[in-house]
Amino acid sequence: MIDKSQDKIPLQDIRMQSFSKEESWSVEDKETSPKSAVPQKRYEDMNDVEKAIFNTKDSKLNKDLSIRHLLTLAVGGAIGTGLFVNSGSSLSTGGPASLVIAWTIISTCLFTIVNALGELSATFPVVGGFNVYVTRFVEPSLGFAVNFNYLAQWAILLPLELCAASITIRYWNKNINPDAWVSIFYVAIALANMLDVKSFGETEFVLSMVKILAIIGFTILGIVLICGGGPNNHFIGGKYWHDPGAFVGETSSQQFKGLSAVFITAAFSYSGLELVGVSAAESRNPRVTLPKAAKRTFWLITFSYLIILTLVGCLVPSNDPLLLNGTSSVDAAASPLVIAIQNGGIKGVPSLMNAIILIAVLSVANSAVYACSRCIVSMAEIGNLPRTLAHVDKKGRPLYAIAVTLFIGLLSFVAASDKRDDVFTWLSALSGLSTLFCWLAINIAHLRFRHAMKLQNRSLEELPYVSMTGEWGSWYGCAVIGLVLIASFWTSMFPAGSHGADAKSFFESYLSLPIFIVCYVGHKIWKRNFTLVNKLSEIDVDSGRVDIDIETLKKEKEAEDLLMKSKPFYIKFWNFWC
């Protein structure tokens, strides 16, 4: 929406404008509404980008999610078996130093992404968040390819996690058919997602708190064990960094390949952190809520991983055979946390850890339904899926999108089949790189938005939140993601420990790339739009903003800054970083 206070460029140079279908405005409306400052455009005359902007700028979803809800929703999607179980295989592949190096580098990249996402979502709190930004600021075909792959990731994750939950239950009872447990969990997840969004947020808050408390508990216990406070009274310190060593491998090339493999695992472990952007249209006071939720989510998830993995690297040697003894990706026996506690002489932990893993798995499944359904709504609003799927009922629930997601979830009933691992391996391969594509697209969309603002002589003071890392941060994020894609290609083609190329390993990791290309090219042909990028001069930097009066926004920000100057240092520090 073009604000009257912005007179830096003449109106005739603004090609992208706020849109209205065939609404008629009264004289009073025309005098007072910012929309009337520019000629209106009929819906039928809009192009795909203009229709996407018009359809997504107003959402019927309830705006009931607070910072707490947004934070725990992202935690629900990002912290699961990757931390509690699968980090053990990374330790055996790369060694303790590789864990710290890889997760630290990826976390710096993620900091740029959450800042870029915070800036865009606070300015444009539209349904689907970054799903719309790519179409709007880059170009529609790239947006379709990114969105489709991201949607597929969460759609497949639901049956995968339900199947994993049924396997987790087998730790206590192996006689009951796994499909019976799948049925119970499927109904519970379905009911949770039929609640209004605030109640759903409270459900996810409870599930995520269990994981957070488990992380806090292990941190305290791990420090005690490292210092020799366990039943064995053995001081451990950093001895496992010397024997068997900080890295795995006899030669530098072997150690580097191990580090590269861990680097990739670290990137995928953070998948789900971007859910804050998906929830943009359902948040209270987006100008304040979204940036704070994005930054706090980053710090919580990053510190959870870095602290736990540092402790695990000190407590468990990388050559411990128990790390490779797991029968599945949710087997508590292979959890490095369980192994660390057992090595410390404490008994009875596996059963408790298995219960935590079960809750973590169900939490991820719950988040998967939420993320997938909102992506479906977003793509339907944009016009890439049937418009019917964008339906939202009176309680703010996208019922049709949830129904489609739950229908895909019926794949979880292959849990009783002995081919389930093969089925989910290849289903996961269909969208294996989707998280990286998504993060790369967020940074590119942020760069395009900034460049459009600069070309149209718009000031950053108009924005409710400005990224702490700016354009250089987004360039850095793109570079790191590019390195991850290269490393993934190398380690997929030539896995660590192998003596040659492995076609099966390559396609399990890189199958999503050709699918991404097919989606991109197919959309180009379907829409007959062969433009590579939207013109910067035509990018709409106004429609969909929650803060229409820019002068009022500036005054509010000045008042907030003045108030913050009177606060103690620790409050200023917290407000700046979190």
Side-chain angles (χ1 to χ4, degrees), residues 277-334:
V278 176
S279 313
E282 297 176 89
S283 60
R284 303 173 190 163
N285 190 8
R287 184 175 79 80
V288 176
T289 301
L290 290 170
K292 288 185 177 296
K295 289 190 288 185
R296 292 177 189 178
T297 298
F298 166 79
W299 291 119
L300 177 58
I301 294 175
T302 297
F303 278 121
S304 295
Y305 271 103
L306 289 179
I307 292 173
I308 293 299
L309 294 177
T310 300
L311 294 175
V312 163
C314 292
L315 291 168
V316 183
S318 58
N319 59 358
D320 193 317
L322 293 176
L323 290 172
L324 302 177
N325 274 358
T327 58
S328 71
S329 62
V330 289
D331 190 349

Side-chain angles (χ1 to χ4, degrees), residues 156 424-433 507-513 515:
I156 293 167
F424 285 116
T425 294
W426 291 107
L427 283 176
S428 299
L430 296 176
S431 58
L433 298 174
F507 282 107
E508 285 179 357
S509 300
Y510 248 78
L511 182 61
S512 58
L513 179 60
I515 292 176

